[in-house]
DNA sequence: AATGCGGGGAG
DNA sequence: CTCCCAGCATT
């Protein structure tokens, strides 16, 4: 065992996290769900989503049997919705190919949609104790500093070096605890800013600390200016209902329900063409800026009151009337949740 | 090898 | 405001 692993495990006994929801009643399924939710998402954000998801889908069979709208509704607000679609698809594959039992072979796990090298290693090491390395954001930061591996981890040669270090330090015994320990170190001491090197169990061998350059690791990606895009979202409202449409599988917010977006048409033409209704009242709200990692989106919300005989939509498979005091038909993107909440409030005011 | 994919927490 | 997080799939 490397000195690094030895000291890390000793530290874990006293300071590691052992009370996270997915650390109770450890099963491959629960660890898998948690690892998918934790991709690019922090622990505190994930916990309530994990608890709700597990309550509704306690095992592979219940998840595989659910429809996609149901699954996405439990993911609504978490982001990266391809994760939920892949999780669902993988559960169905596990049902068929492995009789509902999560596979134990690394290659089989890697072959499931949404699971790559790091997640496969994390699930198998945490749930079964098999010796596999992981390389998530925390581990990249810890190892880049400890070994002074320069450069942005998105570059192949940098990632290759980090994986080699990860493999080299992963011990033969106590693998599950080691995996949790190195993530905990990154999350609690070896943080992105203001790392607590004075309390670090491996500070003695840390090359970045020795050269007083902890802040230089890991290397950052050179960033370009984010473009700004704009869209108009239509909140067509009648009889306490609002029109929603399902987005295509590919692209942003794939498979989620959203508000219709206005293209080149005028509002009146759109309502006539798509809903077969005339506008009775028109109201523009303030622009809502929604920020993605790669662009900003300015949303101009337009509330359209239409004639109350609206029951018709042009394409019933893609559009639906959503009753505001009802449960949503599926997953909703975060800004759509915000706008619909605002609409509910304004409806309540109007009715009081 | 580079890019697309969400949303939020931290500073 | 900026940075980037328990990454993976696609091209």
């Amino acid at each position: 065992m490397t000195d690094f692993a030895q000291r890390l495990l000793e530290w874990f006994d006293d300071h590691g996290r052992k009370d996270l929801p997915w650390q109770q009643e450890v099963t491959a399924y629960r660890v898998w769900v948690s690892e998918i939710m934790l991709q690019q998402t922090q622990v505190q954000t994930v916990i309530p989503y994990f608890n709700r998801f597990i309550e509704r889908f306690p095992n592979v069979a219940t998840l595989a049997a659910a429809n996609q709208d149901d699954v996405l509704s439990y993911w609504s607000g978490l982001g990266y919705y391809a994760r939920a679609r892949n999780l669902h698809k993988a559960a169905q594959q596990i049902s068929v190919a492995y009789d509902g039992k999560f596979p134990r072979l690394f290659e089989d796990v890697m072959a499931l949609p949404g699971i790559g090298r790091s997640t496969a290693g994390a699930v198998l090491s945490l749930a079964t104790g098999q010796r596999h390395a992981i390389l998530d954001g925390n581990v990249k930061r810890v190892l880049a500093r400890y070994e002074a591996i320069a450069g942005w981890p998105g570059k192949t040669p940098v990632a290759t070096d980090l994986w080699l270090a990860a493999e080299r330090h992963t011990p033969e015994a106590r693998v599950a605890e080691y995996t949790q320990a190195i993530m905990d170190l990154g999350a609690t001491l070896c943080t992105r800013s203001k790392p607590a090197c004075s309390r670090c169990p491996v500070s003695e061998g840390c090359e970045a600390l020795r050269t007083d350059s902890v802040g230089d690791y890991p290397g950052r990606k050179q960033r370009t200016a984010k473009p700004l895009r704009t869209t108009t979202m239509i909140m067509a409202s009648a009889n306490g209902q609002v029109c929603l449409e399902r987005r295509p599988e590919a692209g942003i917010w794939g498979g989620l329900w959203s508000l219709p977006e206005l293209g080149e048409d005028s509002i009146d033409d759109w309502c006539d063409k798509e809903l077969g209704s005339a506008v009775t009242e028109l109201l523009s709200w303030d622009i809502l800026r929604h920020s993605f990692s790669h662009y900003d989106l300015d949303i101009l919300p337009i509330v359209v009151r239409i004639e109350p005989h609206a029951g018709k939509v042009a394409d019933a498979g893609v559009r639906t009337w959503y009753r505001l005091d009802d449960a949503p038909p599926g997953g909703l993107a975060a800004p759509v949740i915000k706008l619909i909440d605002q609409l509910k409030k304004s409806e309540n005011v109007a009715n009081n």
Side-chain angles (χ1 to χ4, degrees):
Chain A
M1 186 168 352
T2 65
D3 186 59
F4 176 88
Q6 178 80 47
R7 291 173 188 267
L8 196 52
L9 282 167
E10 284 168 13
W11 172 82
F12 178 76
D13 289 335
D14 288 335
H15 303 284
R17 292 182 293 190
K18 289 135 190 154
D19 51 0
L20 298 169
W22 43 92
Q23 294 176 313
Q24 322 308 316
E25 193 194 332
V26 174
T27 67
Y29 173 74
R30 289 166 59 90
V31 172
W32 171 42
V33 170
S34 75
E35 287 300 325
I36 299 300
M37 286 189 171
L38 286 161
Q39 288 172 4
Q40 303 291 303
T41 310
Q42 295 179 357
V43 168
Q44 289 313 311
T45 306
V46 163
I47 287 174
Y49 281 90
F50 177 84
N51 288 330
R52 286 193 295 267
F53 194 94
I54 287 293
E55 187 176 359
R56 170 63 184 85
F57 311 110
N59 49 48
V60 171
T62 50
L63 180 56
N67 64 46
Q68 194 190 69
D69 274 336
D70 204 3
V71 176
L72 284 174
S73 73
Y74 282 83
W75 212 272
S76 198
L78 247 193
Y80 282 121
Y81 299 94
R83 294 184 296 175
R85 296 196 305 271
N86 284 332
L87 189 71
H88 187 212
K89 199 182 307 172
Q92 294 175 333
Q93 292 181 10
I94 294 170
S95 281
V96 174
Y98 306 109
D99 192 27
K101 298 178 181 66
F102 194 91
R104 258 51 182 178
L105 226 55
F106 186 81
E107 291 70 25
D108 292 343
V109 176
M110 274 278 287
L112 293 168
I115 300 185
R117 182 176 174 185
S118 185
T119 300
V123 174
L124 287 178
S125 66
L126 290 170
T128 79
Q130 290 179 36
R131 183 180 179 277
H132 297 290
I134 65 162
L135 192 63
D136 58 29
N138 282 320
V139 177
K140 284 173 188 168
R141 191 170 54 252
V142 169
L143 293 177
R145 286 171 175 170
Y146 189 78
E147 311 256 338
I149 297 171
W152 175 53
K155 292 287 183 186
T156 302
V158 180
T160 300
D161 285 352
L162 288 169
W163 271 113
L164 284 171
E167 296 280 5
R168 181 157 42 83
H169 287 299
T170 303
E172 298 285 346
R174 296 188 68 189
V175 180
E177 288 161 295
Y178 172 85
T179 297
Q180 189 62 50
I182 192 168
M183 290 191 289
D184 287 353
L185 186 74
T188 62
L189 294 186
C190 195
T191 48
R192 183 163 63 89
S193 56
K194 296 189 199 170
C197 299
S198 64
R199 285 185 283 144
C200 177
V202 295
S203 61
E204 200 172 306
C206 180
E207 188 62 13
L209 182 63
R210 189 182 71 77
T211 55
D212 192 25
S213 56
V214 172
D216 295 342
Y217 301 94
R220 288 116 170 98
K221 172 181 167 59
Q222 67 275 33
R223 210 159 283 271
T224 54
K226 280 201 288 190
L228 178 65
R229 301 184 195 176
T230 60
T231 188
T232 301
M233 285 190 177
I234 301 169
M235 310 180 75
S237 166
N239 304 324
Q241 297 174 308
V242 64
C243 182
L244 296 182
E245 67 181 25
R246 188 199 293 274
R247 301 186 62 94
E249 289 286 310
I252 196 84
W253 300 327
L256 272 66
W257 292 87
S258 183
L259 294 160
E261 294 183 64
L262 185 64
E264 298 304 312
D265 283 348
S266 72
I267 291 278
D268 287 293
D269 285 353
W270 187 90
C271 288
D272 179 49
K273 195 191 302 178
E274 303 293 335
L275 306 178
S277 289
V279 175
T280 60
E281 191 187 342
L282 209 63
L283 193 60
S284 285
W285 284 358
D286 289 343
I287 286 174
L288 175 65
R289 174 161 295 184
H290 187 72
S291 222
F292 297 100
S293 51
H294 43 304
Y295 65 91
D296 290 327
L297 181 64
D298 273 1
I299 300 166
L300 174 62
I302 300 199
V303 179
V304 186
R305 310 277 170 195
I306 59 177
E307 294 169 328
H309 60 69
K312 159 191 177 190
V313 290
D315 185 345
V318 177
R319 296 240 174 90
T320 188
W321 287 98
Y322 162 52
R323 185 169 294 284
L324 289 175
D325 35 332
D326 215 354
L332 299 174
V336 175
I337 293 175
K338 283 184 193 168
L339 291 174
I340 287 180
D341 279 348
Q342 281 186 45
L343 187 65
K344 284 180 187 171
K345 281 179 195 161
S346 68
E347 298 275 315
N348 288 337
V349 169
N351 293 339
N352 292 342

